[in-house]
Amino acid sequence: MKKIMKILLHIGAGIMLSVFIYRYGEAADSHLAEMTEVEKDVLPNRSDNDEVWNMTEDAENVIGEIEILEKSMYVEEEIVSMDGWIVTKYLKYPYFTGGSKKVTDRINEQIFQTVMHENMAVEDWVTYIEMTYEITFENEQYLSILLEGNVSRGGGYGEYSRGMNFDMESGELLSMEDICEWTLIQEAVKKAVEKDNLSVQVGSRDIWLDGEQKEEYLKTDFMDLFKENSYLRTDKNRFFIRDGYLVFIAPSLPSFKGDTYVELEIALYCPEHFFVI
């Protein structure tokens, strides 16, 4: 009788284990099915790599028929080396669903590529990276996003900012010239400097420049961005819209890490050429 009971217990345990493995595998497959093709291509394969990205998804808000979700990804891995260190990567980025799938797929792919590749989150020699985002402007025609983070690369540490501005009808990532003629931007910035109507913020910190320090920065560092051959003219990641301002992501202030944000009030200078607020 005891032998029969033992056999039954082993059989029962085997069945329970099989059910657990099946359900776990089914859940993993379901999770992977929710990932975009771009994410599947870029993220480490769970079955072939010990490095595991944990992904979560939460509802955030809605633009017309489009729902905005938040995706967060986290990995922590101990590197086996002579010294040994911990690799930590924590990323948050928005994900769009609903409305035109062609448009939302295009937006999602561009955001994901910027998050993962431009900031080198998938590179082995990046030992620490943390990135979050803010949707700074949204309506059914335009969307503006600010990505901010800090990263440690091979012993060096830095902060970074990226703006992303989308046409919500096409999913196109816009450059500054896509929304306003370059000569009009140059003229608007020149007038704003002369009238002291630009606000200068030191990165994501709540530090605003004024007086001689602000004047010196604008004349020596900022105005060089508005030459004819400036990268700012066509770079699609160096500006964003926030609270009725066109915000330029400008070079860092000496002695400060990270970029500097310079705000130009849209309604005051060229409302007919920028986003309708």
Side-chain angles (χ1 to χ4, degrees):
M1 185 67 178
K2 289 183 178 179
K3 289 184 178 180
I4 294 174
M5 290 296 294
K6 285 184 178 180
I7 292 172
L8 290 174
L9 285 172
H10 282 301
I11 292 173
I15 292 172
M16 290 179 66
L17 181 60
S18 299
V19 169
F20 172 79
I21 292 172
Y22 171 78
R23 288 183 176 176
Y24 179 82
E26 186 179 43
D29 290 341
S30 173
H31 175 77
L32 289 175
E34 294 172 359
M35 295 168 62
T36 66
E37 291 302 318
V38 176
E39 289 173 337
K40 291 178 184 178
D41 182 54
V42 173
L43 293 177
N45 187 307
R46 289 167 180 249
S47 62
D48 299 334
N49 197 316
D50 292 331
E51 183 178 355
V52 177
W53 287 89
N54 299 305
M55 299 181 65
T56 61
E57 193 174 276
D58 299 299
E60 186 171 280
N61 58 5
V62 175
I63 305 176
E65 297 179 352
I66 296 178
E67 183 180 12
I68 306 175
L69 304 177
E70 177 180 283
K71 286 197 174 184
S72 51
M73 297 162 38
Y74 174 79
V75 62
E76 184 173 273
E77 180 185 20
E78 184 172 358
I79 301 297
V80 180
S81 68
M82 202 160 67
D83 299 324
W85 68 85
I86 300 294
V87 169
T88 302
K89 301 175 182 180
Y90 182 52
L91 310 171
K92 286 186 178 180
Y93 61 97
Y95 177 80
F96 299 84
T97 184
S100 167
K101 189 175 186 303
K102 182 178 180 180
V103 172
T104 53
D105 281 354
R106 188 177 185 187
I107 293 173
N108 289 333
E109 179 175 347
Q110 291 174 98
I111 291 174
F112 187 76
Q113 293 288 8
T114 298
V115 168
M116 298 301 293
H117 285 298
E118 185 172 336
N119 300 320
M120 293 171 281
V122 294
E123 297 294 339
D124 292 337
W125 48 274
V126 172
T127 56
Y128 177 85
I129 184 169
E130 181 178 4
M131 191 213 75
T132 188
Y133 73 95
E134 177 187 357
I135 296 176
T136 58
F137 177 79
E138 60 182 76
N139 64 16
E140 294 189 20
Q141 188 175 7
Y142 296 109
L143 170 73
S144 191
I145 301 169
L146 173 63
L147 302 170
E148 291 185 302
N150 48 74
V151 61
S152 179
R153 303 165 177 155
Y157 175 84
E159 299 176 4
Y160 61 87
S161 307
R162 301 287 186 273
M164 302 191 78
N165 306 277
F166 293 98
D167 183 328
M168 293 299 285
E169 295 180 356
S170 66
E172 179 185 0
L173 183 64
L174 303 172
S175 69
M176 202 171 295
E177 279 202 305
D178 289 328
I179 62 171
C180 184
E181 294 178 28
W182 183 245
T183 54
L184 295 177
I185 294 177
Q186 290 174 307
E187 183 180 345
V189 169
K190 183 179 178 181
K191 288 181 180 178
V193 170
E194 291 172 353
K195 296 181 179 181
D196 193 22
N197 285 333
L198 289 175
S199 300
V200 181
Q201 182 184 11
V202 181
S204 58
R205 302 171 182 82
D206 193 20
I207 301 174
W208 296 84
L209 301 186
D210 57 13
E212 292 183 3
Q213 189 179 30
K214 173 183 171 182
E215 182 180 358
E216 180 67 18
Y217 174 79
L218 291 174
K219 289 183 177 180
T220 59
D221 294 285
F222 181 66
M223 289 305 296
D224 279 347
L225 298 178
F226 298 92
K227 296 177 179 178
E228 288 302 314
N229 60 348
S230 169
Y231 68 86
L232 188 66
R233 184 173 184 175
T234 55
D235 194 319
K236 298 184 178 182
N237 293 125
R238 303 305 296 177
F239 73 100
F240 59 96
I241 305 296
R242 180 175 63 188
D243 299 330
Y245 290 87
L246 175 64
V247 185
F248 304 98
I249 301 177
S252 60
L253 190 73
S255 76
F256 281 91
K257 293 180 180 179
D259 295 311
T260 302
Y261 300 151
V262 181
E263 296 184 343
L264 173 70
E265 189 172 355
I266 296 171
L268 187 62
Y269 286 94
C270 36
E272 68 276 17
H273 296 285
F274 287 103
F275 297 106
V276 178
I277 303 299

